[in-house]
Amino acid sequence: LTHPDLVAGLVIVGSAARLGVTPEILDGLATAFEPTVNMIVKFSWARTAPAVYRETGRRHMLAAGSQTVLADFEACAAYTVKDRLDEITCPALVIAGGADKMVPAKASQSLADGLPNGRYVEIDGAGHFLHFEKTAEVTAAMKPFLNTLLASN
């Protein structure tokens, strides 16, 4: 938003114009860290994601510690560009996981719909970490968009 002249296009993965975080998650990260991390991990990955992905994510969150993870989720809770979408005029590809419970696909679809040059792709069966879970599908969705950007610049 600050330097649109420096941006040819955007690929936005697993996000929305406004990221909602429940007060229960914020409170849990401050007062019951490990059980809350376990819940976040449960909802961040599709059921079909390999267990090693979930366990690795869990270990990384626990290693980061309560203050860091809480600060991350507080930043997400405060994040919004909902009232500024019309300022993002470059081509934008929004990719969502069809099984994402952290940022539901409908919120990503709404983001794409609100962007003047937004496009939307939903990856069936992918959770919030769709770039890990469905790498080939995410890459396949990005390729034509990036090729079009390259050809036009």
Side-chain angles (χ1 to χ4, degrees):
L1 292 171
T2 306
H3 297 285
D5 54 310
L6 300 177
V7 180
L10 297 170
V11 176
I12 303 166
V13 179
S15 194
R18 182 181 176 284
L19 299 175
V21 178
T22 66
E24 293 81 12
I25 288 177
L26 296 175
D27 182 58
L29 289 171
T31 62
F33 183 59
E34 189 167 354
T36 304
V37 165
N38 292 339
M39 180 194 62
I40 291 168
V41 168
K42 177 181 176 183
F43 290 113
S44 293
W45 299 91
R47 290 182 183 176
T48 56
V52 67
Y53 288 4
R54 288 188 292 278
E55 184 53 32
T56 300
R58 180 183 164 307
R59 278 191 324 224
H60 283 289
M61 288 180 78
L62 291 173
S66 176
Q67 287 183 322
T68 300
V69 177
L70 176 59
D72 175 47
F73 275 77
E74 286 174 335
C76 289
Y79 173 82
T80 183
V81 291
K82 197 170 190 164
D83 296 333
R84 299 185 68 188
L85 292 178
D86 60 330
E87 297 176 48
I88 304 170
T89 58
C90 66
L93 174 64
V94 180
I95 306 174
D100 189 343
K101 293 177 183 163
M102 297 299 282
V103 179
K106 67 180 181 178
S108 295
Q109 173 77 63
S110 179
L111 169 61
D113 291 346
L115 293 167
N117 293 300
R119 298 175 198 152
Y120 177 76
V121 173
E122 186 173 311
I123 308 295
D124 289 334
H128 187 61
F129 292 110
L130 59 155
H131 49 292
F132 289 109
E133 296 175 37
K134 302 277 187 169
T135 305
E137 292 90 336
V138 171
T139 301
M142 290 171 50
K143 274 186 177 180
F145 176 78
L146 294 174
N147 286 335
T148 300
L149 283 180
L150 287 171
S152 66
N153 287 314

